[in-house]
Amino acid sequence: MVTHTTSPALTNAVADLLPKANMLLRGLGVLECVAESPNRTGVSVGEVASRTGLEKSTVSRTLAILREAGYVRQDGYRRYRLTGKLTTLSQGYSNVADLLVAARPHLESLHAEFDEEVHLATLDQGYMVFVDYIPSSQVVRSTLSTTQRLIHETAAGRAALCLLDHEARVDALRLSADAGGTSFSSVELAEILAELDGAKERGWAGYDRGDEVSRFAAPILDESGEPLAAVCLSGPTFRIRGQEEAYGAAVVHAAREITATL
């Protein structure tokens, strides 16, 4: 009879891998639990712990890692939701990558014409996720955030929403407010909806954060005509004042060209 023996080195290597494999399986289990929850309401650490049988401390650490990696996000109520990252991975190719390739020449043209900040942002649930950015080379510049932001707090988000019908607008705004841990009064909601009507009529949206920065954003559409992303041009108000019409027309043109390319 032939017997096979396993080397001590191989045995040790397998032993070293087992804890890491268990960590990976726990992480996947937590991710699946978040995925199974309604994305509108999200799921809490306690709920994930109850469903997976894991300790709350383990769940909390795992969710922190998944959040850092971009697979989940936490709202103002400390509840977790999926991001769009898994969808991108499962498609076999990245729609974002296609968007980046289609948009980049037009972003560069905007930057060459105005030398102000240019952003490209995609619509993801209650957020706009900024995926490309060209900074201004001027000494005085706005240096806006290039991470994700709530839809209602960005010109890009409002540009994406302006093409939706009333019900879809309200749903998106409430989702955005929920993600920020807040809510809109009926007056606030009416004001935003009126701004979206104006944005739809002129083709571009703005957003005044009271920071002396002017923003101009226009929506980019997918093949079905639904808002997919937005291109945004922004800079210090004192430098842009009097040129608003030119800036607005430029972002509208860029967005239409990107849409046509896609």
Side-chain angles (χ1 to χ4, degrees):
M1 181 176 67
V2 178
T3 60
H4 299 276
T5 59
T6 303
S7 70
L10 181 58
T11 300
N12 292 336
V14 172
D16 289 339
L17 285 174
L18 285 176
K20 297 177 181 178
N22 289 333
M23 288 176 59
L24 176 60
L25 290 174
R26 285 198 298 268
L28 291 173
V30 169
L31 187 60
E32 288 175 354
C33 188
V34 177
E36 290 168 359
S37 66
N39 209 45
R40 182 174 179 82
T41 58
V43 65
S44 69
V45 170
E47 290 166 345
V48 175
S50 176
R51 296 173 191 175
T52 61
L54 298 172
E55 295 290 334
K56 284 187 177 181
S57 58
T58 300
V59 171
S60 183
R61 288 195 300 271
T62 303
L63 285 169
I65 293 171
L66 291 171
R67 181 179 60 193
E68 183 68 22
Y71 288 97
V72 302
R73 68 166 59 96
Q74 188 181 28
D75 64 21
Y77 297 101
R78 303 183 66 81
R79 298 181 70 83
Y80 289 86
R81 297 174 172 83
L82 286 183
T83 67
K85 191 169 184 178
L86 281 178
T87 302
T88 298
L89 293 176
S90 67
Q91 287 175 336
Y93 66 93
S94 173
N95 286 337
V96 173
D98 290 342
L99 174 63
L100 289 171
V101 171
R104 188 67 188 192
H106 304 289
L107 303 184
E108 291 175 351
S109 293
L110 276 177
H111 185 263
E113 183 176 358
F114 297 99
D115 194 12
E116 299 290 1
E117 287 193 271
V118 180
H119 289 83
L120 178 68
T122 59
L123 184 63
D124 183 8
Q125 299 295 325
Y127 292 85
M128 292 303 290
V129 181
F130 291 87
V131 295
D132 203 357
Y133 169 63
I134 305 178
S136 170
S137 67
Q138 302 195 62
V139 175
V140 179
R141 51 187 182 271
S142 52
T143 59
L144 301 180
S145 170
T146 56
T147 58
Q148 68 181 23
R149 294 191 64 87
L150 297 172
I151 287 177
H152 70 277
E153 293 183 345
T154 66
R158 295 185 179 216
L161 294 187
C162 76
L163 296 183
L164 300 178
D165 61 32
H166 176 80
E167 184 177 351
R169 285 180 182 179
V170 172
D171 286 344
L173 287 170
R174 285 177 175 162
L175 185 62
S176 178
D178 288 345
T182 186
S183 61
F184 296 121
S185 68
S186 57
V187 173
E188 290 171 327
L189 187 59
E191 288 176 349
I192 296 175
L193 292 173
E195 290 179 13
L196 295 179
D197 286 337
K200 182 178 181 179
E201 184 175 346
R202 65 176 175 260
W204 60 268
Y207 178 60
D208 183 3
R209 297 185 64 193
D211 55 1
E212 294 300 315
V213 174
S214 294
R215 302 164 175 84
F216 306 81
I220 298 167
L221 311 182
D222 63 17
E223 65 276 5
S224 63
E226 294 295 316
L228 169 70
V231 57
C232 182
L233 180 62
S234 62
T237 298
F238 76 87
R239 196 161 57 223
I240 292 174
R241 190 176 290 113
Q243 304 178 74
E244 290 85 357
E245 186 174 339
Y247 276 67
V251 293
V252 169
H253 176 73
R256 288 175 177 171
E257 290 295 309
I258 296 169
T259 296
T261 303
L262 287 173

